[in-house]
Amino acid sequence: MSAQRRQSGPFLWGDKVQLTGPKGRMHTITLTEGGVFHTHRGMVAHETVVGLPDGSVITSTTGDDYLALRPLLADFVMSMPRGAAIVYPKDAAMIVTFADIFPGATVVEAGVGSGALALSLLRAVGPEGRLASFERRDEFAAVAEGNVTSFLGQRPDNWTLTVGDLVEELPGVVDDGTADRVVLDMLAPWECVDATARALKPGGLVVVYVATVTQLSRTAEALRDTGSFTDPESSETLVRSWHVEGLAVRPDHRMIAHTGFLLTARRLAEGTVLPALKRRASKSDFSDEDVELWTPGALGERTASSKKLRKTARQAQDAAAKAVAATDADSALRTTETTADDAVTEKD
């Protein structure tokens, strides 16, 4: 069964609450007994939030009003502890749609990073689906596990998180020809193309998330070279918000522009030869050495220090423990209420 956090009802201890202040700034807190939210615009005691319905307004000690709402998945992702760069909500939404992640699907994800995309994939596959995530670094895996558990309230039963290289570990976790979708979010996805082809069902889909044009080109050529996939399609997603107030309607000065490229391709049946395209753009000759000069590996990928990762992992695991405790308390409360109702019914 898949874990699902409470989506409605009054706020309880352990719930996450998004407080929006007078200037529109959002703060995400976890309700704890004796806890106090501090700001230069006054304080809000956590106990004043507990028991209120979603969408209530709380007044701070200085008289400022704060709107209290349960954070959306996108809100949580943008504020959760990070070990690695996250997949932005705009890209996660496109991955779920372009990869056609459906309820009941078996999905492979590598690497898991901080767990942002895993949350969207778990929602999409539903309780009957399965998500198998892979991550090379223990620290990143700890952060991701904490974030997923924290948001959902418990660790999902239909989610496995394997620490290790996808090429080596995938055959022991997912049988060949049984995966519906494979999502690759890593530095060198072209190294995993053969393993992906073996894992996917005929007609299955691989979606690759990369940051640079050279990664995009090299992965596309690797997919073509296998002869096992349709011709890959690539895109990027840009989001620009608008200011709309009366007659003042204009695009905002800032936008979420390039974060990454998406590359998708479908798995062909064994022995199938893809029909040649009538027109295909010519490309200059290049070698792996040429491309490597432009990849993040050669340029020096910026990674967080081990000390920072350990701290981030502790924060994520602490939030997860509080979320699990809140889920257990809510389940116990519901059981008590049901027992009391049954007793009243029998008495009547």
Side-chain angles (χ1 to χ4, degrees):
M1 180 176 292
S2 176
Q4 296 293 334
R5 72 185 182 108
R6 292 192 323 118
Q7 300 286 351
S8 60
F11 293 119
L12 301 177
W13 296 118
D15 279 353
K16 285 182 171 53
V17 181
Q18 179 179 279
L19 297 177
T20 304
K23 292 187 176 181
R25 185 176 180 183
M26 296 184 292
H27 310 267
T28 301
I29 63 173
T30 300
L31 298 178
T32 56
E33 295 189 41
V36 178
F37 168 63
H38 293 270
T39 172
H40 67 283
R41 305 187 71 91
M43 299 180 294
V44 175
H46 290 196
E47 62 183 13
T48 63
V49 183
V50 173
L52 293 178
D54 215 344
S56 297
V57 173
I58 296 95
T59 303
S60 71
T61 53
T62 58
D64 287 314
D65 290 333
Y66 285 83
L67 175 63
L69 289 166
R70 279 189 173 82
L72 303 175
L73 175 56
D75 300 325
F76 176 79
V77 163
M78 296 305 294
S79 62
M80 70 185 190
R82 300 184 190 181
I86 64 168
V87 174
Y88 273 70
K90 70 182 181 72
D91 295 318
M94 298 299 282
I95 288 172
V96 169
T97 300
F98 280 175
D100 191 29
I101 309 295
F102 57 90
T106 295
V107 179
V108 173
E109 176 200 21
V112 73
S114 298
L117 181 58
L119 284 167
S120 293
L121 296 175
L122 283 166
R123 264 193 177 175
V125 301
E128 303 304 320
R130 176 192 178 195
L131 176 62
S133 298
F134 296 81
E135 175 55 55
R136 288 182 174 179
R137 300 188 61 174
D138 290 305
E139 302 94 333
F140 290 170
V143 173
E145 186 167 13
N147 285 333
V148 170
T149 303
S150 175
F151 183 76
L152 296 178
Q154 65 185 74
R155 197 184 191 286
D157 295 333
N158 61 340
W159 181 46
T160 58
L161 177 54
T162 304
V163 177
D165 186 87
L166 177 72
V167 175
E168 298 175 357
E169 303 293 340
L170 182 57
V173 178
V174 179
D175 293 335
D176 290 352
T178 61
D180 295 293
R181 305 288 185 263
V182 173
V183 183
L184 302 178
D185 173 19
M186 56 178 60
L187 185 64
W190 52 87
E191 296 176 352
C192 301
V193 167
D194 291 335
T196 295
R198 288 192 297 269
L200 280 172
K201 298 176 180 177
L205 184 145
V206 58
V207 55
V208 184
Y209 182 71
V210 291
T212 68
V213 292
T214 47
Q215 289 173 300
L216 179 68
S217 174
R218 189 165 181 177
T219 306
E221 295 307 319
L223 288 169
R224 291 188 178 109
D225 289 344
T226 64
S228 299
F229 293 92
T230 59
D231 202 52
E233 298 180 1
S234 56
S235 66
E236 67 174 336
T237 304
L238 312 178
V239 174
R240 182 174 69 176
S241 58
W242 278 64
H243 172 88
V244 180
E245 186 175 349
L247 297 179
V249 180
R250 55 171 172 75
D252 284 333
H253 300 303
R254 300 181 64 184
M255 67 180 292
I256 304 177
H258 175 79
T259 48
F261 297 103
L262 294 184
L263 184 71
T264 60
R266 303 286 298 274
R267 178 69 163 94
L268 299 174
E270 289 295 334
T272 298
V273 177
L274 186 68
L277 297 177
K278 293 182 178 180
R279 296 185 62 184
R280 181 170 176 178
S282 62
K283 57 181 183 294
S284 301
D285 292 335
F286 64 91
S287 65
D288 290 346
E289 290 74 17
D290 295 328
V291 177
E292 182 61 28
L293 293 174
W294 293 86
T295 58
L299 298 177
E301 183 189 18
R302 296 181 62 184
T303 58
S305 67
S306 297
K307 181 178 179 180
K308 183 179 186 303
L309 285 175
R310 288 194 296 270
K311 179 180 178 181
T312 304
R314 287 196 299 270
Q315 292 174 338
Q317 295 290 343
D318 181 58
K322 292 178 181 178
V324 170
T327 300
D328 293 342
D330 182 50
S331 298
L333 178 62
R334 292 175 185 273
T335 301
T336 302
E337 292 175 346
T338 302
T339 302
D341 292 341
D342 291 343
V344 172
T345 301
E346 291 179 2
K347 183 177 180 180
D348 293 341

Coordinates of all heavy atoms in Angstrom, one line a residue, residues 84-114:
A84 N 21.2 17.3 -3.2 CA 21.5 17.5 -4.6 C 20.5 18.5 -5.2 O 19.5 18.8 -4.6 CB 21.5 16.2 -5.4
A85 N 20.9 19.0 -6.4 CA 19.9 19.9 -7.1 C 18.6 19.2 -7.4 O 18.7 18.0 -7.7 CB 20.6 20.4 -8.4
I86 N 17.5 19.8 -7.2 CA 16.2 19.2 -7.4 C 15.7 19.3 -8.8 O 16.2 20.1 -9.6 CB 15.2 19.8 -6.4 CG1 14.9 21.3 -6.8 CG2 15.6 19.7 -5.0 CD1 13.7 21.9 -6.2
V87 N 14.8 18.4 -9.2 CA 14.0 18.6 -10.4 C 12.9 19.6 -10.1 O 12.1 19.3 -9.2 CB 13.5 17.3 -10.9 CG1 12.6 17.5 -12.1 CG2 14.6 16.3 -11.2
Y88 N 12.9 20.7 -10.8 CA 11.9 21.7 -10.5 C 10.5 21.2 -10.8 O 10.3 20.4 -11.7 CB 12.2 23.0 -11.3 CG 13.2 24.0 -10.6 CD1 14.5 23.6 -10.5 CD2 12.7 25.2 -10.1 CE1 15.4 24.5 -9.9 CE2 13.6 26.0 -9.5 CZ 14.9 25.7 -9.4 OH 15.8 26.6 -8.8
P89 N 9.5 21.8 -10.1 CA 8.1 21.3 -10.3 C 7.7 21.4 -11.8 O 7.0 20.6 -12.2 CB 7.3 22.3 -9.4 CG 8.2 22.6 -8.3 CD 9.6 22.7 -8.9
K90 N 8.1 22.5 -12.5 CA 7.7 22.6 -13.9 C 8.2 21.4 -14.7 O 7.6 20.9 -15.6 CB 8.2 23.9 -14.5 CG 9.7 24.0 -14.7 CD 10.1 25.4 -15.2 CE 11.6 25.6 -15.5 NZ 12.0 24.8 -16.6
D91 N 9.4 21.0 -14.4 CA 10.0 19.8 -15.1 C 9.4 18.5 -14.7 O 9.2 17.6 -15.5 CB 11.5 19.8 -15.0 CG 12.2 21.0 -15.6 OD1 11.8 21.4 -16.7 OD2 13.1 21.6 -15.0
A92 N 9.1 18.4 -13.4 CA 8.5 17.2 -12.9 C 7.1 17.0 -13.5 O 6.7 15.9 -13.8 CB 8.4 17.2 -11.3
A93 N 6.4 18.1 -13.7 CA 5.1 18.0 -14.3 C 5.2 17.5 -15.7 O 4.4 16.7 -16.2 CB 4.4 19.4 -14.2
M94 N 6.2 18.0 -16.4 CA 6.4 17.6 -17.8 C 6.8 16.2 -17.9 O 6.4 15.4 -18.8 CB 7.4 18.6 -18.5 CG 6.9 20.0 -18.6 SD 5.4 20.2 -19.5 CE 6.0 20.1 -21.2
I95 N 7.7 15.7 -17.0 CA 8.1 14.3 -17.0 C 6.9 13.4 -16.8 O 6.8 12.4 -17.5 CB 9.2 14.1 -15.9 CG1 10.5 14.8 -16.3 CG2 9.4 12.6 -15.6 CD1 11.6 14.8 -15.2
V96 N 6.1 13.7 -15.8 CA 4.9 12.9 -15.5 C 4.0 12.8 -16.8 O 3.5 11.7 -17.1 CB 4.1 13.4 -14.3 CG1 2.8 12.7 -14.2 CG2 5.0 13.2 -13.0
T97 N 3.9 13.9 -17.5 CA 3.0 14.0 -18.6 C 3.6 13.3 -19.9 O 3.1 12.5 -20.5 CB 2.6 15.4 -18.9 OG1 1.9 15.9 -17.8 CG2 1.6 15.4 -20.2
F98 N 4.8 13.8 -20.2 CA 5.5 13.3 -21.4 C 5.9 11.8 -21.3 O 5.9 11.1 -22.3 CB 6.8 14.1 -21.7 CG 6.5 15.5 -22.4 CD1 7.5 16.4 -22.6 CD2 5.2 15.8 -22.8 CE1 7.2 17.6 -23.2 CE2 4.9 17.0 -23.4 CZ 6.0 17.9 -23.6
A99 N 6.2 11.4 -20.1 CA 6.5 10.0 -19.9 C 5.3 9.2 -19.7 O 5.4 7.9 -19.6 CB 7.5 9.8 -18.7
D100 N 4.1 9.8 -19.6 CA 2.9 9.1 -19.5 C 2.9 8.2 -18.3 O 2.6 7.0 -18.4 CB 2.5 8.4 -20.7 CG 1.1 7.8 -20.7 OD1 0.2 8.5 -20.1 OD2 0.8 6.8 -21.4
I101 N 3.3 8.7 -17.1 CA 3.4 7.9 -15.9 C 1.9 7.7 -15.4 O 1.2 8.6 -15.1 CB 4.2 8.6 -14.8 CG1 5.5 9.1 -15.3 CG2 4.3 7.7 -13.6 CD1 6.5 8.0 -15.7
F102 N 1.5 6.4 -15.4 CA 0.1 6.1 -15.2 C -0.1 5.3 -13.9 O 0.9 4.6 -13.4 CB -0.5 5.3 -16.4 CG 0.3 4.1 -16.7 CD1 -0.1 2.9 -16.1 CD2 1.3 4.1 -17.6 CE1 0.6 1.7 -16.5 CE2 2.0 2.9 -18.0 CZ 1.6 1.7 -17.4
P103 N -1.3 5.3 -13.3 CA -1.5 4.5 -12.1 C -1.2 3.0 -12.4 O -1.7 2.4 -13.4 CB -3.0 4.7 -11.8 CG -3.3 6.0 -12.4 CD -2.4 6.1 -13.7
G104 N -0.5 2.4 -11.5 CA -0.1 1.0 -11.6 C 1.1 0.7 -12.4 O 1.5 -0.5 -12.6
A105 N 1.8 1.7 -12.9 CA 3.0 1.5 -13.7 C 4.2 1.1 -12.8 O 4.3 1.5 -11.6 CB 3.4 2.8 -14.4
T106 N 5.1 0.4 -13.4 CA 6.4 0.1 -12.8 C 7.4 1.1 -13.4 O 7.7 1.1 -14.6 CB 6.9 -1.3 -13.1 OG1 5.9 -2.2 -12.5 CG2 8.3 -1.6 -12.6
V107 N 8.0 1.9 -12.5 CA 8.9 3.0 -13.0 C 10.2 2.9 -12.3 O 10.3 2.6 -11.1 CB 8.3 4.4 -12.6 CG1 9.2 5.5 -13.1 CG2 6.9 4.6 -13.3
V108 N 11.3 3.1 -13.1 CA 12.7 3.1 -12.6 C 13.2 4.5 -12.6 O 13.0 5.2 -13.6 CB 13.6 2.2 -13.5 CG1 15.0 2.3 -13.0 CG2 13.1 0.7 -13.4
E109 N 13.8 5.0 -11.5 CA 14.3 6.3 -11.5 C 15.8 6.3 -11.0 O 16.1 5.6 -10.1 CB 13.5 7.1 -10.4 CG 14.1 8.5 -10.2 CD 13.6 9.2 -8.9 OE1 13.2 8.4 -8.0 OE2 13.7 10.4 -8.8
A110 N 16.6 7.0 -11.7 CA 18.1 7.1 -11.4 C 18.6 8.5 -11.8 O 18.4 8.8 -13.0 CB 18.8 6.0 -12.0
G111 N 19.3 9.3 -11.0 CA 19.3 9.1 -9.5 C 18.2 9.9 -8.8 O 17.6 10.8 -9.4
V112 N 18.1 9.5 -7.6 CA 17.0 10.1 -6.8 C 17.3 11.5 -6.3 O 16.3 12.2 -5.9 CB 16.7 9.1 -5.6 CG1 17.8 9.2 -4.5 CG2 15.3 9.4 -5.0
G113 N 18.6 11.9 -6.1 CA 18.9 13.2 -5.7 C 18.3 13.5 -4.3 O 18.6 12.8 -3.4
S114 N 17.5 14.6 -4.2 CA 16.9 14.9 -2.9 C 15.5 14.4 -2.8 O 14.8 14.7 -1.8 CB 16.9 16.5 -2.8 OG 18.2 17.0 -2.7

